[in-house]
Each structure stands twice: as C-alpha cells, then as structure tokens.
Amino acid sequence: MSGKKKTLLKVIILGDSGVGKTSLMQRFVDDKFSQQYKATIGADFLRKDLTLDNNKQVTLQIWDTAGQERFQSLGVAFYRGADCCILCFDVTNEKSLNNLTSWKDEFLVQSNISNPQDFPFIIIGNKIDVDDSKKIPSLQKKLNNIVNQLAVNANGLTYPVFETSAKDAINVQAAFEVVAKMALQQEEINDANANDASDDYNDAINIHLESEQRGCC
Amino acid sequence: MSKKKQEMSQVYLGTSNEFVFGELGGKGKHLSSFLKNLSLTSTSRKSKNLGEDVNSSIYGNMQYGRVLGEELGNGSGGVGGGGSDELLSSPGSPKLRPKLVGRSISMGTSFAFSGSHGDDSTSINLGGGSSGSSQSGVGNNGGPYKHSNLSSSSHLKSHRTHSNTFYKDLDADWDADLNDVRNKKLTSVKQKDNNNNDPSNKSRNSLSLVDSFHPEIGMVSSLPSLPKRKDEKISSASKKQSLDHEDHRAQLEVAKQNQLNSKYSKFYKILKPGNTIDINELRKLSWNGIPQDLRALIWQLLLGYLPTNKLRQSSTLTRKRQEYNEGLRVLTIDFDDVKTTSNTSSSSLINNKDRQIYHQINIDVKRTNPSIKLYGDPQVQKSLRKILYLWAIRHPASGYVQGINDLVTPFFHIFLHNYIWQVQKKAEAMNNPLKESDYEGLFIPGILDENDEIEAQFLKDPQLIHTTLNSLDTSKISPRAWSVIEADTYWSLTRLLETITDNYIHEQPGILRLVGELRDLISKIDLELSKHFEHEGIEYIQFAFRWMNCLLMRELSLDLVVRMWDTYLSETPLGFSHFHIYVCAAFLIKFSGDLKERDFQEILLFLQKPPTASWKEKDIEMMLSEAFIWQSLYKDASAHLRS
C-alpha cells in the first residue's frame, strides 16, 4: 500500500434535539464546552485525527445531525457510507432514551447499510454532570432494557454504552476511541467487500456518493 | 459639494427590470466591479475612494447621526432668529439640504474645538465648501491660541461673542431661514462644548462616535434653516489646502451625512404626503437599503401587513393585534414554563404532540442568537416562545421547524427597536411640542398608548435617551407594548413563511428543490467550481441545506441579515425563495477561489464557518447586486439550466 493515506472513518451521531450531540462533538474535537451552541440545522461536519492503540492513524469524519424529526428525511444524504453510528440520549430526559430505537431504525432504513445485523452502534447517555434528582428514575434498568431491545436483531452483538458529560469532559474521549475502533473494523469489512467487487476507491465518502447518488434529477 | 457627488450609485430593480447605474460620477466604478465579478474572480474589494465608503455605510453606522445632531445644534444655537422647519415640509428644499448639512458640520465641529487647538478648526472644514474657509478665517482673526485664551477666561461671555462672530462670517452665503425653536434647546449643548477647554475633548467632540440610539430622524428634522446675512466673507482658503488625516475623516463624515440626508428625504417623499403610499416606488428605493429608524414601518408596508392606504392602517393593525391576542388566549399552555425536559409538563390540558412542539420551541429559544445579550432576557424569550408556538399551532402542515426561531429574530429586533425609538421621539416631542409633527406618518399606528402607565414611566425615564437594544431593561416595557411588538412580529413572520411554506412541510421539498436549483445555477455560472465539487464528492445538500432552512442567517451577523432583508422584502415576489438562490450563488462564488484549493473535508469545514465575521454592509450590497445580475440573466432560463 504505497502513499497510503490515513483511513477515513465516517461516523454519524443521532439523537433527540437538545441531548447534547453538538456539545459532545465539540468536547471531543476541540476539547471545549460552551453554553452558546445554536440548534444544529441539517447536519454539521467535523473532523478529528486519532492514533489508535496499534499505532493506526485514522481520521474520523463526523456528521453531527439535527435532532428534530422534521430533518430525518435528510438522512439519506448524510448517513450513507457510515462506518459507525452513535445513538445519543440525555440522562435527564426519558423520552430521548425511549426514542433511541426509532433513531436506530431510521438510520438503518436511510443509510442502506448492507449488513444491518453487524453494523456497529454505540450508545451515549450525556449530561451525567447534572443532579441525580433530575436524572431519569431507575436509569440503569431502563437503559438496559433499551440496549437489549436495540440489539435484538443484531448478530449477538452488544452495543457499548457510555455515560458522559460533555460539560465536565467525563468519558468523552474514551467513548470516541471505542467509536473509532468499531468504525475501523466496519470500514475494513466494507473495504474487503469493495475489493471483492474490484472497486478501487478507498474513500468511504466517494464510494457511496459516486456510485449511488447520480441520476436523481 | 456638488449634487452629483451626493447621488448614490444605484443598482435597482426598475419596473422594467433594468439595471440602473446612475448617470455620472462614481457609477462607472461600480459598473467595472460588476463586470469584474461577472468574470467570477473573487477578489477582495477595497474602497479606493471616498464615495464608495460613504455609499456603503449609510444605514449601518447610526452613531454618526448623533454627532451631527449635536453639532448641528451647536451651529444653529448661536444664531437666533425666527423661521420654520422649512426643509422637511417644503418640497423644493431637499436641494439645499446637503449643502446646509455640510456647513453645519463644519461649524459645529469647530465650535467644539474652540477651546483647544486652533488648528482643529481649520482641519474640519472640508464639507462646507467655501463657507468652511470663512470659518477658519474667523477663528484665526486673533490666532488660534488667542482665541483659546479668550474662551477660557470667560466661558459664557466668550462663547456668546464667539458664536456671533462665528456665524456672521459663516452666514455669508447661507440662504435659508433659521429654526428658532431648535436653537433654544440646543444652545445649552453648545455651551457645554464651548466651556470645554480640555484638549483631550477634541476627539470626543469631533468625530468620535457617540453612542446613541440612532437619532438620524431627529437630525434630519433638525436641519437648521439659516438666515440670510450680508456679512463679509472672509477667506483663508490657503489654510485648507492640505488635507491631513483629520480632514479626510471629516470629509467622510460630511459626505456620509449628506448621503444619509438625501436618502431620508427620498423616503419621506414616498411616506409622508397623501393618503396612499406608492408601494412600487417604495420597493425601488428600499431595495438599496432602508434607514434604521424607518425600517419597521417600511418592512411592514413591504410585507403587506401595514396597508398602504393610511386611512386603513390604524384599524387594520388594531384588528390584527387583537387577533393575535385572541389566538393566544385559547391556548392552554403556560408560557412561563421553561423546563428543558419534556418529561413533565405543568399543563395536562395540552396533548402530547403540542407539548412536544412547545418543548422543541422552548429549547431552541434558549439557544437563539446566544451571542446577543437581548436574546438571553427572560421576557424576550417568553415573547419568542409565544410567537413561535402560536405560529406552529396555526400551521399544522409544517408546525415548528428548527431554524424558524432564527427567522423570527430580525422582525422582533427591528420592531422592538422601533418601539424604543418611538418612545424616545415622543419623549423628545414632549419636551418640545412643536417638533412632534416631524414624525407624522412615520410612526406605526398603535405602538404607543397614552393610557399605558408603564409607558408613561418609561417616557420620563432619564435613561431613556441612552437606551439601546443592548442596554434595554425589558421590565420598563409594558405588557401591552410587548403584546403589540409580538403581534406585529407574528404577522410579519407569518407573511414571510407563507412564501416558503414548502421549505418546512414534511420532507422539506422546497429546500430540496432550492438546493437543486443552486447546484444547477452554479454549474452555469462557475463550471470549474461545480466540477471541483463533483470531483471531491461534495453534495450541495451537505452545506446548502442550512442556507435555505435559515436563509443564510447562520452565516451572517444579524445586522447584515437585516440589511439583506431590506432587499428581499423589496423583491416581488418576496425574495426569500427565488431571489435567495441567486444570493446563495453569489455567496458561494465569493469563496470560489478558496474552495477550488480545498478537498472534501476542508470545503465542508470552510463552508460551515465561512469567513464573514469582518463583512460590512458593502459586502452584502455587492453580493445582492451580483445576485440581481444573475437573476436577470438566468431567471427565465431555467430550461437551459437543466441542459
């Protein structure tokens, strides 16, 4: 593999509006936190270079999506070619936890993933910095239920769960390292598939945009 | 200053869709920059010449108005005499205005300097033309420093003497009458300045920007009409030959004021006389930007919310505002509920779907314009929640969609500003009853209410005159006034969104269509960029979705958006849909050079945070002009677009 570029990994973060997706991203990418984020419209793009344990250099291309349901029809343009999907909820908002299932389903429908049973998801519960009194009552139990429910169709996979605070920088880096590893694994599978089809693209984005997007107008 | 220089270069939509570059002077320059832009190079345009600078910042930098206003005061204060506020009422007078203003500035500034350095008085004289030279002549009769001594030895006396001498000379060729009323009030200001011997005041008094609440209207109406005098004219033209730095600045100031005045007078001619406002003329004029204090009124006219028939205005607005209040009354939501989670709701009366809408609005209002202090205010946030929620409930096909919270803010901002402005002007008029008529026809009906006790307090508030949207204490505004501001905002927002309904309904087909149109347009205008995007795998939806959903409000500061909307609102049909595409194209192509150097990731990162922080109104105006050109080139050629 001569002139090898860093591996590009495409990651999507989904979840209800206001659970802190943008804050998580900013904490991870720039290690900062602000109260001043505006609501994300459509999706924002972020990039972060990482070196994994095995000295492997990767670049994460992250799409930070808008949480409002109305924007879900946009998914097609952003989800395609993803290597990993983060499902995000707010530990103080039970509805955002319950909605994870529909976020996952929506993602699988729109991303047109070839191996949905094997596709890596990761669950992040954000805002653990807030008072316990404000958190969802018996959170662990409910969380377990949801996670089991999410994995019900998966090939014996368990989806990793992280509880984070973007505000206090708790667990964010750790979560994204796992994201990167999972994405890399997925990308290698994709690559293998792509090579089988004697397709020599090595850019995850290009593969899918070029091959599937044309002809819509 | 010759009239032709005061003419703004104009590019406007004529009835026949023509491109008008004006006749003379600086217009050629604009033509050439358009042509330059047509060649698709994105160059940074620096204003090489005074005229361009002046043109571009007429509406934005309202601080200047204050300086002028005060200094005009100084000027007319010393003269004394009878007369009427002729300039505003007489149609023949606008011709005189720029000339007079120029002179007034010269006069006022040198007054301010009279205690400090003699040179200063000579350095500020540019705008007034020949009268400027006579002015320096006066100060120099006894030499600058001598004069300074005089005024410091006996302030009041020297002030009086000085002003008289001063005006005698200046008045040599003035040809209008004096506004007596104004003088009385402003003499005191003048005294203050005169008594000031500290050289450090020089800069403050001269061209520094005085923080104030956009008093241009006051300034215009206070243009002094000056008495004819047959005094000798002293010339010391030699003094003025060298244009030092301050000269240049002064010249800029004067030119700016002249531009502003002539702009105002054009709007007055449309707004004031008769019972019906000529909306086409108004559109034509507003396309190039609306002065801040007239903006609320004109926006409402352009939106069709405020009737052009003045006899119907008051009753229409009363009815609409009532309708808004009735709409709110039937809602069972508690707008004071600001809990961020939707787990619990204080009101069990509303159904789950409506609660969800309220929740979404609530969390979005909290993060609306977070960098502007006003939008952190609980009262402001409550108003926005009411407006947005009512709109969402009344428009179930789309409901509330994120981004509409951005679109509501320009209206809210401008209408709240207008309220404060009206209160300020009314307070001014109460101190000076003869002035009131100046604003007739410029106040939106029903904004102020004599029976509003909280408003009565606000009118007497000593802080009122210094109040800006940034320093506003929202508790000083009565619930009645909030409700009026909200209602006007609500209806204006409704009107805007009517033109782009399909942007926000299920699957947002409007936005998808607009993004597609933008892509097609770019492939016509800038094929290279188009190819580069394709090569890098960039899809327009990845960056332009937000441009359509929030009408570029995420890319530009609120002030610039407001200027942009002057033009959008002057387009027929309103420019939020179709014209916006051409603006987006102009916006994208501004960065074409940069973008062609970048790869997929860098392009997206760049477009997510385009470098517009330093943009001024002139950048926006250039962009709008380019958009206009492209619209006229491609508008009816969509068949060709699809090649």
PDB file of all heavy atoms in Angstrom, chain B residues 615-629:
ATOM      1  N   TRP B 615     -17.319  41.050   7.550  1.00  0.00           N
ATOM      2  CA  TRP B 615     -18.143  41.614   6.477  1.00  0.00           C
ATOM      3  C   TRP B 615     -18.870  42.870   6.942  1.00  0.00           C
ATOM      4  O   TRP B 615     -19.340  42.960   8.077  1.00  0.00           O
ATOM      5  CB  TRP B 615     -19.166  40.581   6.003  1.00  0.00           C
ATOM      6  CG  TRP B 615     -18.616  39.641   4.985  1.00  0.00           C
ATOM      7  CD1 TRP B 615     -17.308  39.230   4.883  1.00  0.00           C
ATOM      8  CD2 TRP B 615     -19.327  38.992   3.933  1.00  0.00           C
ATOM      9  NE1 TRP B 615     -17.184  38.359   3.837  1.00  0.00           N
ATOM     10  CE2 TRP B 615     -18.386  38.196   3.238  1.00  0.00           C
ATOM     11  CE3 TRP B 615     -20.651  39.014   3.514  1.00  0.00           C
ATOM     12  CZ2 TRP B 615     -18.764  37.424   2.135  1.00  0.00           C
ATOM     13  CZ3 TRP B 615     -21.020  38.233   2.429  1.00  0.00           C
ATOM     14  CH2 TRP B 615     -20.071  37.456   1.738  1.00  0.00           C
ATOM     15  N   LYS B 616     -18.965  43.777   5.982  1.00  0.00           N
ATOM     16  CA  LYS B 616     -19.702  45.014   6.225  1.00  0.00           C
ATOM     17  C   LYS B 616     -20.894  45.055   5.264  1.00  0.00           C
ATOM     18  O   LYS B 616     -21.014  44.217   4.389  1.00  0.00           O
ATOM     19  CB  LYS B 616     -18.783  46.215   5.953  1.00  0.00           C
ATOM     20  CG  LYS B 616     -17.537  46.227   6.813  1.00  0.00           C
ATOM     21  CD  LYS B 616     -17.827  46.900   8.155  1.00  0.00           C
ATOM     22  CE  LYS B 616     -16.604  47.009   9.025  1.00  0.00           C
ATOM     23  NZ  LYS B 616     -16.112  45.729   9.542  1.00  0.00           N
ATOM     24  N   GLU B 617     -21.676  46.096   5.440  1.00  0.00           N
ATOM     25  CA  GLU B 617     -22.842  46.205   4.567  1.00  0.00           C
ATOM     26  C   GLU B 617     -22.461  46.257   3.097  1.00  0.00           C
ATOM     27  O   GLU B 617     -23.184  45.772   2.243  1.00  0.00           O
ATOM     28  CB  GLU B 617     -23.665  47.441   4.940  1.00  0.00           C
ATOM     29  CG  GLU B 617     -24.397  47.245   6.237  1.00  0.00           C
ATOM     30  CD  GLU B 617     -25.579  48.196   6.389  1.00  0.00           C
ATOM     31  OE1 GLU B 617     -25.827  48.981   5.455  1.00  0.00           O
ATOM     32  OE2 GLU B 617     -26.216  48.135   7.438  1.00  0.00           O
ATOM     33  N   LYS B 618     -21.307  46.847   2.837  1.00  0.00           N
ATOM     34  CA  LYS B 618     -20.942  46.948   1.422  1.00  0.00           C
ATOM     35  C   LYS B 618     -20.704  45.575   0.808  1.00  0.00           C
ATOM     36  O   LYS B 618     -20.934  45.374  -0.373  1.00  0.00           O
ATOM     37  CB  LYS B 618     -19.753  47.874   1.220  1.00  0.00           C
ATOM     38  CG  LYS B 618     -18.444  47.348   1.732  1.00  0.00           C
ATOM     39  CD  LYS B 618     -17.310  48.288   1.329  1.00  0.00           C
ATOM     40  CE  LYS B 618     -16.035  47.838   2.023  1.00  0.00           C
ATOM     41  NZ  LYS B 618     -15.301  48.939   2.614  1.00  0.00           N
ATOM     42  N   ASP B 619     -20.231  44.643   1.634  1.00  0.00           N
ATOM     43  CA  ASP B 619     -20.058  43.287   1.119  1.00  0.00           C
ATOM     44  C   ASP B 619     -21.413  42.666   0.780  1.00  0.00           C
ATOM     45  O   ASP B 619     -21.572  41.999  -0.235  1.00  0.00           O
ATOM     46  CB  ASP B 619     -19.348  42.407   2.152  1.00  0.00           C
ATOM     47  CG  ASP B 619     -17.960  42.919   2.464  1.00  0.00           C
ATOM     48  OD1 ASP B 619     -17.125  42.917   1.554  1.00  0.00           O
ATOM     49  OD2 ASP B 619     -17.726  43.353   3.602  1.00  0.00           O
ATOM     50  N   ILE B 620     -22.368  42.902   1.670  1.00  0.00           N
ATOM     51  CA  ILE B 620     -23.715  42.392   1.438  1.00  0.00           C
ATOM     52  C   ILE B 620     -24.310  43.031   0.194  1.00  0.00           C
ATOM     53  O   ILE B 620     -24.922  42.367  -0.648  1.00  0.00           O
ATOM     54  CB  ILE B 620     -24.621  42.703   2.657  1.00  0.00           C
ATOM     55  CG1 ILE B 620     -24.165  41.907   3.867  1.00  0.00           C
ATOM     56  CG2 ILE B 620     -26.082  42.430   2.347  1.00  0.00           C
ATOM     57  CD1 ILE B 620     -24.317  40.414   3.720  1.00  0.00           C
ATOM     58  N   GLU B 621     -24.089  44.335   0.077  1.00  0.00           N
ATOM     59  CA  GLU B 621     -24.693  45.032  -1.053  1.00  0.00           C
ATOM     60  C   GLU B 621     -24.086  44.581  -2.372  1.00  0.00           C
ATOM     61  O   GLU B 621     -24.777  44.468  -3.390  1.00  0.00           O
ATOM     62  CB  GLU B 621     -24.581  46.550  -0.843  1.00  0.00           C
ATOM     63  CG  GLU B 621     -25.603  46.992   0.198  1.00  0.00           C
ATOM     64  CD  GLU B 621     -25.429  48.408   0.712  1.00  0.00           C
ATOM     65  OE1 GLU B 621     -24.460  49.077   0.306  1.00  0.00           O
ATOM     66  OE2 GLU B 621     -26.269  48.826   1.527  1.00  0.00           O
ATOM     67  N   MET B 622     -22.800  44.302  -2.318  1.00  0.00           N
ATOM     68  CA  MET B 622     -22.164  43.782  -3.526  1.00  0.00           C
ATOM     69  C   MET B 622     -22.760  42.426  -3.880  1.00  0.00           C
ATOM     70  O   MET B 622     -23.071  42.152  -5.036  1.00  0.00           O
ATOM     71  CB  MET B 622     -20.655  43.671  -3.279  1.00  0.00           C
ATOM     72  CG  MET B 622     -19.852  43.367  -4.516  1.00  0.00           C
ATOM     73  SD  MET B 622     -20.128  44.545  -5.851  1.00  0.00           S
ATOM     74  CE  MET B 622     -19.181  45.947  -5.255  1.00  0.00           C
ATOM     75  N   MET B 623     -22.919  41.613  -2.865  1.00  0.00           N
ATOM     76  CA  MET B 623     -23.472  40.278  -3.086  1.00  0.00           C
ATOM     77  C   MET B 623     -24.897  40.368  -3.651  1.00  0.00           C
ATOM     78  O   MET B 623     -25.266  39.638  -4.577  1.00  0.00           O
ATOM     79  CB  MET B 623     -23.466  39.530  -1.759  1.00  0.00           C
ATOM     80  CG  MET B 623     -23.884  38.090  -1.833  1.00  0.00           C
ATOM     81  SD  MET B 623     -23.521  37.239  -0.287  1.00  0.00           S
ATOM     82  CE  MET B 623     -24.943  37.653   0.694  1.00  0.00           C
ATOM     83  N   LEU B 624     -25.686  41.278  -3.100  1.00  0.00           N
ATOM     84  CA  LEU B 624     -27.060  41.441  -3.579  1.00  0.00           C
ATOM     85  C   LEU B 624     -27.079  41.907  -5.030  1.00  0.00           C
ATOM     86  O   LEU B 624     -27.908  41.470  -5.824  1.00  0.00           O
ATOM     87  CB  LEU B 624     -27.809  42.438  -2.686  1.00  0.00           C
ATOM     88  CG  LEU B 624     -28.109  41.965  -1.262  1.00  0.00           C
ATOM     89  CD1 LEU B 624     -28.555  43.121  -0.380  1.00  0.00           C
ATOM     90  CD2 LEU B 624     -29.167  40.862  -1.258  1.00  0.00           C
ATOM     91  N   SER B 625     -26.139  42.777  -5.351  1.00  0.00           N
ATOM     92  CA  SER B 625     -26.088  43.276  -6.721  1.00  0.00           C
ATOM     93  C   SER B 625     -25.720  42.160  -7.687  1.00  0.00           C
ATOM     94  O   SER B 625     -26.274  42.056  -8.776  1.00  0.00           O
ATOM     95  CB  SER B 625     -25.066  44.408  -6.836  1.00  0.00           C
ATOM     96  OG  SER B 625     -25.417  45.457  -5.977  1.00  0.00           O
ATOM     97  N   GLU B 626     -24.779  41.345  -7.267  1.00  0.00           N
ATOM     98  CA  GLU B 626     -24.410  40.213  -8.117  1.00  0.00           C
ATOM     99  C   GLU B 626     -25.595  39.267  -8.285  1.00  0.00           C
ATOM    100  O   GLU B 626     -25.879  38.797  -9.384  1.00  0.00           O
ATOM    101  CB  GLU B 626     -23.219  39.466  -7.496  1.00  0.00           C
ATOM    102  CG  GLU B 626     -21.922  40.242  -7.611  1.00  0.00           C
ATOM    103  CD  GLU B 626     -20.846  39.773  -6.643  1.00  0.00           C
ATOM    104  OE1 GLU B 626     -21.056  38.757  -5.943  1.00  0.00           O
ATOM    105  OE2 GLU B 626     -19.802  40.432  -6.588  1.00  0.00           O
ATOM    106  N   ALA B 627     -26.280  39.028  -7.184  1.00  0.00           N
ATOM    107  CA  ALA B 627     -27.450  38.158  -7.238  1.00  0.00           C
ATOM    108  C   ALA B 627     -28.473  38.736  -8.212  1.00  0.00           C
ATOM    109  O   ALA B 627     -29.093  38.009  -8.993  1.00  0.00           O
ATOM    110  CB  ALA B 627     -28.062  38.014  -5.853  1.00  0.00           C
ATOM    111  N   PHE B 628     -28.612  40.041  -8.168  1.00  0.00           N
ATOM    112  CA  PHE B 628     -29.573  40.693  -9.060  1.00  0.00           C
ATOM    113  C   PHE B 628     -29.210  40.454 -10.518  1.00  0.00           C
ATOM    114  O   PHE B 628     -30.073  40.146 -11.340  1.00  0.00           O
ATOM    115  CB  PHE B 628     -29.609  42.194  -8.764  1.00  0.00           C
ATOM    116  CG  PHE B 628     -30.481  42.945  -9.713  1.00  0.00           C
ATOM    117  CD1 PHE B 628     -31.851  42.960  -9.524  1.00  0.00           C
ATOM    118  CD2 PHE B 628     -29.944  43.601 -10.807  1.00  0.00           C
ATOM    119  CE1 PHE B 628     -32.675  43.635 -10.409  1.00  0.00           C
ATOM    120  CE2 PHE B 628     -30.758  44.265 -11.697  1.00  0.00           C
ATOM    121  CZ  PHE B 628     -32.121  44.277 -11.496  1.00  0.00           C
ATOM    122  N   ILE B 629     -27.929  40.595 -10.801  1.00  0.00           N
ATOM    123  CA  ILE B 629     -27.491  40.387 -12.184  1.00  0.00           C
ATOM    124  C   ILE B 629     -27.787  38.961 -12.624  1.00  0.00           C
ATOM    125  O   ILE B 629     -28.344  38.720 -13.696  1.00  0.00           O
ATOM    126  CB  ILE B 629     -25.980  40.657 -12.328  1.00  0.00           C
ATOM    127  CG1 ILE B 629     -25.706  42.127 -12.063  1.00  0.00           C
ATOM    128  CG2 ILE B 629     -25.491  40.265 -13.717  1.00  0.00           C
ATOM    129  CD1 ILE B 629     -24.266  42.507 -12.183  1.00  0.00           C
TER     130      ILE B 629
END
